Amino acid sequence: MSQKVMLITGGSRGIGAEIAKGAANQGYFVIINYTRGAKEAQGVVDQIKSAGGQAVAIQADCSKEDEIVRLFKDADQYGSLEAFVANAGIIGGQNPVTETTFAQLRELFDINVIGLMISTREAVKRMSTTLGGKGGRIVLMSSVAARTGGIAQEIHYAASKAAVDGFLMGLAKEVGNAGIRVNAVRPGLIGTSIHDLHGGREVIEKWGAGVPMGRIGEPTEVAQTVLWLCSDQSSYIHGALIDVSGGR
Ligand code: NAP
């Protein structure tokens, strides 16, 4: 098959769902990964198909290596992977450092860091021109929390995203000569259900008043940046951390 394929982890809701819909509009065959939200993932697939696009949903827990490997193997049947977005992530609870538990950090880092690194490994194995691939584009989902320390009592989340930034910079050096462009996006306060943990949209809209642009961002505003990084319009952008944060 010669169709261009994009795989998005955590594509059933929020930012990932908007990336999926935008990518389908640009002609990608979109593979939407999710863990628990089968109905939501199918809803995104249905929206894409009714607009004339192509997509499929594949369940896999991206905090588990065997499930990540299966996800990529399943994805292979749809064509060669041109773009990969490592988007799946969680906040991992809200509590002061004195109440942090090992189990909490284990779960958080398994998805936000180890799962992201293992899924990126699978993408690089398929894309690398030095391994027989055709090259490709990878976007890692970080957060402005990586440089600000994040929201109060969510420093574990900030630490996990800082690990993503370090991984990005090293990976760019490793794969730049292998036909792969890799970049990271650092969203600020974006209106998705990830914020249900600390009161939902109503609460973050109040925080939005303190953002230099005076408002929170929308998932489509992050998706547009990701899709630009996957396009030829960003052909010399590599190893970059792009803030989508209204100046925050
Ligand atoms: P969201 O609305 O909560 O959506 C999270 C997505 O990740 C869902 O599709 C969810 O699927 C999936 N997911 C969670 N755990 C997973 C796992 N173990 N394996 C596979 N998929 C998993 O979150 P969002 O706000 O769109 O955030 C997306 C990314 O942007 C995250 O990495 C987040 O840290 C980052 N980010 C968000 C903001 C913001 O303000 N929203 C700011 C900075 C960075 P299921 O429903 O099936 O679990």
Side-chain angles (χ1 to χ4, degrees):
M1 281 185 216
S2 59
Q3 60 195 349
K4 52 179 191 174
V5 173
M6 177 184 285
L7 169 56
I8 306 157
T9 62
S12 59
R13 288 188 280 120
I15 294 169
E18 293 308 320
I19 298 168
K21 288 185 265 181
N25 274 337
Q26 294 185 359
Y28 283 98
F29 184 102
V30 184
I31 298 169
I32 296 165
N33 156 254
Y34 67 98
T35 33
R36 290 166 293 268
K39 204 171 142 199
E40 288 86 351
Q42 193 52 47
V44 180
V45 170
D46 292 346
Q47 275 186 62
I48 287 173
K49 285 187 171 169
S50 63
Q54 299 181 85
V56 67
I58 302 180
Q59 194 279 338
D61 182 343
C62 287
S63 67
K64 296 189 166 66
E65 183 174 21
D66 57 341
E67 298 200 23
I68 293 168
V69 169
R70 172 180 55 76
L71 167 67
F72 277 81
K73 278 193 180 145
D74 282 1
D76 286 339
Q77 67 185 287
Y78 299 103
S80 76
L81 189 64
E82 184 171 309
F84 171 60
V85 185
N87 170 73
I90 59 169
I91 292 175
Q94 191 177 41
N95 54 266
V97 69
T98 48
E99 288 167 25
T100 302
T101 68
F102 188 89
Q104 169 194 17
L105 294 180
R106 183 81 268 169
E107 184 190 11
L108 173 68
F109 278 74
D110 278 354
I111 173 67
N112 286 15
V113 183
I114 299 175
L116 174 139
M117 292 172 70
I118 294 293
S119 55
T120 301
R121 175 193 77 190
E122 291 303 307
V124 170
K125 275 160 70 174
R126 284 160 174 79
M127 293 173 176
S128 170
T129 52
T130 57
L131 297 174
K134 297 178 187 163
R137 293 87 194 256
I138 297 175
V139 179
L140 310 179
M141 198 57 72
S142 178
S143 168
V144 291
R147 63 169 169 72
T148 65
I151 293 167
Q153 304 194 346
E154 293 176 6
I155 58 176
H156 39 270
Y157 175 76
S160 75
K161 293 298 186 180
V164 173
D165 289 6
F167 177 63
L168 179 271
M169 291 184 276
L171 182 67
K173 291 177 185 159
E174 195 173 310
V175 303
N177 250 340
I180 302 173
R181 281 197 300 110
V182 58
N183 293 288
V185 169
R186 294 197 293 204
L189 286 169
I190 309 298
T192 75
S193 54
I194 206 169
H195 295 290
D196 290 353
L197 180 71
H198 35 240
R201 189 167 178 115
E202 204 182 321
V203 168
I204 66 160
E205 274 184 349
K206 284 186 190 139
W207 297 345
V211 171
M213 279 184 69
R215 64 169 178 90
I216 64 167
E218 297 302 332
T220 48
E221 296 181 292
V222 182
Q224 283 160 11
T225 307
V226 170
L227 293 168
W228 175 71
L229 286 170
C230 291
S231 77
D232 290 338
Q233 290 175 346
S234 60
S235 55
Y236 200 52
I237 298 184
H238 178 62
L241 294 152
I242 311 279
D243 289 358
V244 184
S245 61
R248 183 160 161 255

